[in-house]
Amino acid sequence: MADILNVFGSHVFNEAKMKERLKPETFASLNKTIKEGTPLDLGILDEVADAIKVWALENGATHFTHWFLPLTTIPAEKHDSFIDFSGDDIVLKFNGKTLLKGEPDASSFPSGGLRSTANARGYTIWDPTTPVFIRTVANRTVLFIPTVFVGYHGEALDRKIPLLRSLNALDKAGKRFMKMFGYDAKRVYPAVGPEQEYFLVDRDLYLKRDDLIYTGRTMFGVLPPKGQELMDHYFAGINNRVTAFMKDINEELWSLGITAKTDHNEVAPLQHETATIFSIGGLAADQNMMLMETLQRTARKHNLVCLLHEKPFAHINGSGKHNNWSVNADNINLTDPTDTPENNLKFLLTLACIIEGVDENAVLLRACASNPGNDFRLGANEAPPAILSIYLGDQLLDVVEQIINKGEATSSIHPHSLDLGIPQIGKITAEATDRNRTSPFAFTGNKFEFRMLASSVCIASANTALNTIMAYEFNKACDALENSKNFEADLKKYIRKTIIDHKRVIFNGDGYTASWPIEAEKRGLPNVKTYIEAISSFTTDKTISMFNSLNVLSDVELKCRQSVAYEMYAKNIDIESKTALLMLDTKYLPAIRAYASDVAVDLDNVSRNSKITDISYKEHLDKVVALLDSASIKKETLKTALMNVRAIEELHNKALAYLQIIVPILASIRGDIDALEEIVAKSYWPVPSYSDLFIED
């Protein structure tokens, strides 16, 4: 324990180090900005920068970087050394201006047309709500300064600015909400705890598969005789190689002040999960990006590769990210029903707001949780369906039904004890409600688990949506209730009406059953099966009005994100197409032709030597040749289709064409190649198979 405590936060300029190294009045000012959202005092920046510089140099740093989250899939960083000139002398310089502002080329990042090469200026600006940290990579120690990223005219070009704006909107609306109940909250904020799933594969085998290298997933491949059927990988003992890897990631994450708590094997072969304790506000998004980077960097040290793609392997579970989310006012968790939810009106109003918000913004939430890879897993028997519904559990469902049927709830189901009838085994108290792994938005005791997120996405977008929706719903409730002359009676009516109007989104059943989509359609719930369909929600009148009214994103910024999403989808599928063509031309087709040729020679030898034709040889060869011809024809079809789709200029139409034209061709080609893998001798197969990859040592 002592070692963990000494390691934890050692690479972070955290509150304790700030208090130790800054003047009391400077510390008080900066700490108030971080914790209460007061404006940053620019007059303290030089002192803060000098303290950070001295601490970083003491820890071996030679460079610093403004670290930010552009509209790509990974963070951005540019390293500058501390070296500068003062007259003719070399000095180590880092001041308040350097801390506060950087200037990357904004035209080189996705901007949805907001920045061009001719108008390239952009700025990174220090975000003090996430502490600076140091990280050593390949013997270079660098000071990382978390920042936001804006265009020359102040347009948000990153994922962090809207998240921070949504936090401010939720704080303002939440304080108004709490005031109705006679409570002056100092701060209202979300607490977020993401669970991160990932795969680990042997690096030597990875380097032999172009699809893994360029797309993060296997575009071809069949399951070995044993995959995850026996469910014996989930929570199984962690092997030595992975244990060593997990030890290293824990130590790295702890040093960065990230509360890595849980490591375990997931359901699929090679699949694992790391979960952290809740962080407040925007810190959770930054820390999850650090966690993903740490997973990938550390894997290489163990001759492994960490795959964060949502579906690296067909026919087994893919990876998601469970976003545990709650709303808190100071030390009060508004999403905690307490022991008597039927009497907890703050909770019941919060619950009603969440029910309405999820129902009204289902497609937006689907979009903000997704990327192209998420289309492979949503709706499969491994992930939540693409239909947004809310699981409440037995206790809350009973309370909600009482409110609907009687106007108010007067009782609630209480936790029960479990007695196994074995004296040596102690009795335990079970929770008041079960869990539902098929629900995309499930209540889990004192929080909601948004389980739809793709494993590789930045959680900032989904949490921006959740915070904005919640702020909007809080304001709507306040508009209706804060001037009420009979507050409690009107409050109960508001809760009941809201729940009745949006009860269609409540579903406690099994989301994997074939009957649920049918039932959901009857209820009028949207079933958005593809990412492309969901992206349109960014610029609906409702989304624009909500985000504009709360100053989270302007209509221009929302259109920017929509354009970037369409563009990135098209580019992603284009890369997959080029990868498939490369593998077909240089690996699969030559290997299969060689095999077919050798089988033909064997067939001829059998015929000449025995004077008879082995029918099995002939049938086998005919099947191989037929599949080979089919794959070759489809390959040419793909090339032609790509030329036509690439010529489409309008981004939405181009992305839609990739989805509707290119994706089915890729799937069809895969069908042929996978069928060949099952009948071609393994010695001819040009890439490591799933059987090879799934061996864990």
Side-chain angles (χ1 to χ4, degrees), residues 54 95 105 108 134 181 190 210-211 317 323 331 372 383 417 456 538 586 624:
V54 171
N95 57 25
D105 178 0
S108 296
I134 56 173
F181 293 92
D210 295 322
D211 48 5
N317 282 11
N323 191 84
N331 294 320
S417 70
S456 63
F538 289 162
T586 65
V624 170

Side-chain angles (χ1 to χ4, degrees), residues 467-486:
N467 299 338
T468 304
I469 290 166
M470 202 64 202
Y472 183 85
E473 294 297 332
F474 273 169
N475 281 334
K476 184 178 178 182
C478 291
D479 288 343
L481 296 168
E482 63 187 357
N483 294 319
S484 170
K485 302 301 182 183
N486 191 350

Side-chain angles (χ1 to χ4, degrees), residues 307-557:
L307 302 177
L308 294 172
H309 193 284
E310 289 64 40
K311 195 75 169 179
F313 305 102
H315 313 301
I316 63 170
N317 282 11
S319 292
K321 183 146 46 189
H322 302 166
N323 191 84
N324 295 286
W325 175 84
S326 64
V327 181
N328 303 266
D330 298 336
N331 294 320
I332 301 170
N333 181 354
L334 298 179
T335 44
D336 183 355
T338 66
D339 294 334
T340 54
E342 68 274 21
N343 299 325
N344 190 339
L345 294 179
K346 282 197 298 293
F347 168 77
L348 291 176
L349 181 56
T350 300
L351 178 63
C353 288
I354 291 171
I355 291 170
E356 179 174 34
V358 172
D359 186 30
E360 290 284 329
N361 299 278
V363 182
L364 176 65
L365 288 169
R366 160 75 165 93
C368 291
S370 296
N371 62 2
N374 224 20
D375 285 355
F376 289 106
R377 56 182 287 274
L378 291 183
N381 283 358
E382 56 166 285
I387 306 162
L388 249 295
S389 64
I390 297 177
Y391 170 81
L392 294 180
D394 295 338
Q395 184 190 54
L396 292 191
L397 183 61
D398 174 63
V399 169
V400 163
E401 288 177 341
Q402 288 182 61
I403 291 171
I404 292 173
N405 297 326
K406 300 190 302 182
E408 63 179 339
T410 56
S411 63
S412 60
I413 297 170
H414 293 291
H416 61 282
S417 70
L418 291 178
D419 184 354
L420 303 183
I422 305 172
Q424 301 92 326
I425 303 295
K427 296 179 182 179
I428 65 167
T429 300
E431 309 303 321
T433 189
D434 205 342
R435 294 181 63 189
N436 189 326
R437 290 175 56 83
T438 72
S439 174
F441 203 87
F443 182 73
T444 56
N446 61 358
K447 63 187 182 298
F448 282 87
E449 185 179 21
F450 189 17
R451 303 183 69 250
M452 191 177 270
L453 272 67
S455 57
S456 63
V457 298
C458 174
I459 66 171
S461 297
N463 284 287
T464 297
L466 287 173
N467 299 338
T468 304
I469 290 166
M470 202 64 202
Y472 183 85
E473 294 297 332
F474 273 169
N475 281 334
K476 184 178 178 182
C478 291
D479 288 343
L481 296 168
E482 63 187 357
N483 294 319
S484 170
K485 302 301 182 183
N486 191 350
F487 177 69
E488 185 168 326
D490 289 342
L491 171 60
K492 290 179 179 179
K493 290 177 184 177
Y494 185 90
I495 291 170
R496 182 171 186 262
K497 183 179 186 307
T498 302
I499 291 173
I500 289 174
D501 288 347
H502 300 281
K503 65 181 180 180
R504 67 175 188 170
V505 79
I506 300 170
F507 178 62
N508 268 20
D510 185 350
Y512 290 169
T513 62
S515 61
W516 169 231
I518 299 171
E519 169 65 21
E521 185 177 5
K522 291 178 181 177
R523 296 186 184 195
L525 297 177
N527 185 1
V528 182
K529 296 180 180 179
T530 67
Y531 181 45
I532 293 299
E533 295 173 78
I535 293 170
S536 62
S537 64
F538 289 162
T539 55
T540 62
D541 290 343
K542 180 178 180 181
T543 299
I544 290 174
S545 175
M546 179 172 66
F547 277 78
N548 280 195
S549 68
L550 293 166
N551 298 314
V552 175
L553 284 168
S554 68
D555 55 349
V556 171
E557 290 168 326

Side-chain angles (χ1 to χ4, degrees), residues 37-93:
T38 59
L40 177 65
D41 180 2
L42 300 184
I44 67 173
L45 289 183
D46 280 337
E47 181 188 343
V48 173
D50 187 65
I52 290 173
K53 179 191 75 173
V54 171
W55 170 76
L57 292 173
E58 288 173 355
N59 284 274
T62 58
H63 292 70
F64 64 89
T65 181
H66 275 201
W67 183 80
F68 57 101
L69 309 179
L71 299 177
T72 58
T73 58
I74 59 174
E77 57 192 68
K78 173 177 70 77
H79 297 184
D80 287 301
S81 73
F82 287 106
I83 289 177
D84 208 333
F85 277 104
S86 178
D88 294 329
D89 297 326
I90 294 178
V91 297
L92 299 180
K93 184 179 178 182

